[in-house]
Amino acid sequence: MPLYEKKYEYQEIRVNTNEDINKIIADYNSFYNLPRPGISAIDDPSVYLQTFFRGQSDESWKIRASIEGAKEQENEILADFGSMHDGNSFDLIAYVQHYRTGTRFIDFTTDKDVALYFACSENMDKDGALFMWCYSPHKAEWYTASVLAEVAQINSDSKMSVQELSEMILRKNPKIKEAFKETIELNTAIVSFLDHGFMAVPPETAKESNLRLKRQSGCFYVCGVEFEHPLEGMARISSHAGYNMFYPHSVQIPKGLRNGNALVKMVICKELKEEILEYLEKKGITKEYLLPD
């Protein structure tokens, strides 16, 4: 039986050699014909459906955002950022990443060797995991940073409507008010990314100002929030978007990162970890390289 089965289903594959890993990645990319233009490429030709990787040193861990159990830290950092900046998504990501604390961001990379390092560098007595997921990153609009910062400053855990959030943002952010003449337009925009989140791939300019981001080929899945009711049909239409109720400090991990059809989990046996680390060291992939001061 082949290591990777060519089918649109979640797969968990145990690997015993580095060659197994390379073959699975090659077969996966071939099956999904990656990279290739994604849906968003209609509006932005630079957006491609591509493979993203994540390494975890204990295969028993679920993919989760580090904000879980650390909500207060994210609130403080994002609120501080929102008071100092006029809104840039990747400045926000770099700012929060610098603190390495609880956030609604899930780290990914476009470099499988980077993910392999994080899958093998700790918990040497445990099997590691290398996750592979194909996704079409959405263009992170400039206003998303301001929206995220505003959500972080909400004191109550009680549900609120998208309309309430939009009105709050428009009162406090003149730049957004210039871009969205009517609240109804901002409602639709907010729902589009708070519902399911988005994958944010930084532009080269952001990488040049953040060495860690550059060396790790870093990108981030920004998790959405939990809505009171699923957003189906009319709920997404502009005239109805504002009525949707959501919980500001909730974090919704997308189904695709739990057991989605395009998700592949490679379980790396603990006996293979040292060998992989030696292989990566020869390529210059070390802790000192990936985590510069």
Side-chain angles (χ1 to χ4, degrees), residues 18 23 204 228 263:
N18 201 18
K23 185 177 188 309
E204 292 304 317
E228 182 179 28
L263 183 67

Side-chain angles (χ1 to χ4, degrees), residues 24 107 141 269 288:
I24 291 168
D107 291 342
E141 300 289 352
C269 60
E288 293 71 25

Side-chain angles (χ1 to χ4, degrees), residues 55-264:
Q56 297 186 170
S57 59
D58 187 338
E59 69 86 17
S60 68
W61 296 340
K62 303 294 184 182
I63 296 178
R64 61 194 293 267
S66 57
I67 189 178
E68 296 175 52
K71 179 184 68 177
E72 292 78 9
Q73 291 96 318
E74 188 204 39
N75 293 356
E76 292 173 5
I77 292 172
L78 291 183
D80 188 29
F81 177 92
S83 67
M84 299 189 309
H85 297 70
D86 61 1
N88 178 290
S89 294
F90 291 102
D91 281 350
L92 171 64
I93 286 172
Y95 183 79
V96 176
Q97 188 210 33
H98 174 74
Y99 282 82
R100 306 305 297 173
T101 187
T103 71
R104 63 181 58 249
F105 304 150
I106 301 176
D107 291 342
F108 277 89
T109 176
T110 53
D111 187 332
K112 65 97 174 174
D113 285 340
V114 172
L116 265 178
Y117 174 83
F118 289 110
C120 298
S121 60
E122 296 180 348
N123 294 306
M124 304 308 287
D125 61 335
K126 305 285 187 181
D127 293 340
L130 176 66
F131 291 92
M132 187 164 49
W133 192 40
C134 68
Y135 199 86
S136 179
H138 293 273
K139 183 178 181 180
E141 300 289 352
W142 60 268
Y143 63 84
T144 59
S146 294
V147 172
L148 289 172
E150 197 64 46
V151 170
Q153 295 178 70
I154 297 171
N155 293 322
S156 174
D157 285 331
S158 301
K159 63 187 177 183
M160 68 182 301
S161 70
V162 171
Q163 176 79 13
E164 291 176 279
L165 176 61
S166 291
E167 291 174 351
M168 187 185 305
I169 292 169
L170 290 171
R171 283 197 304 268
K172 298 172 65 175
N173 295 272
K175 185 179 177 181
I176 292 182
K177 195 168 185 178
E178 292 173 8
F180 296 92
K181 301 302 181 183
E182 297 182 15
T183 307
I184 194 171
E185 296 176 4
L186 184 56
N187 289 343
T188 307
I190 288 175
V191 163
S192 70
F193 74 85
L194 273 191
D195 176 22
H196 50 72
F198 59 92
M199 182 70 80
V201 178
E204 292 304 317
T205 52
K207 293 180 183 179
E208 290 304 321
S209 61
N210 187 323
L211 187 58
R212 177 181 291 187
L213 196 67
K214 180 178 181 180
R215 290 183 175 179
Q216 293 184 14
S217 298
C219 42
F220 304 84
Y221 191 86
V222 183
C223 294
V225 299
E226 179 185 355
F227 279 81
E228 182 179 28
H229 302 292
L231 301 189
E232 300 174 349
M234 297 292 288
R236 295 181 181 277
I237 296 176
S238 58
S239 59
H240 291 74
Y243 296 108
N244 292 303
M245 306 293 292
F246 70 97
Y247 300 91
H249 300 300
S250 61
V251 178
Q252 192 74 1
I253 306 298
K255 181 180 179 181
L257 288 180
R258 298 195 296 270
N259 57 358
N261 292 344
L263 183 67
V264 170

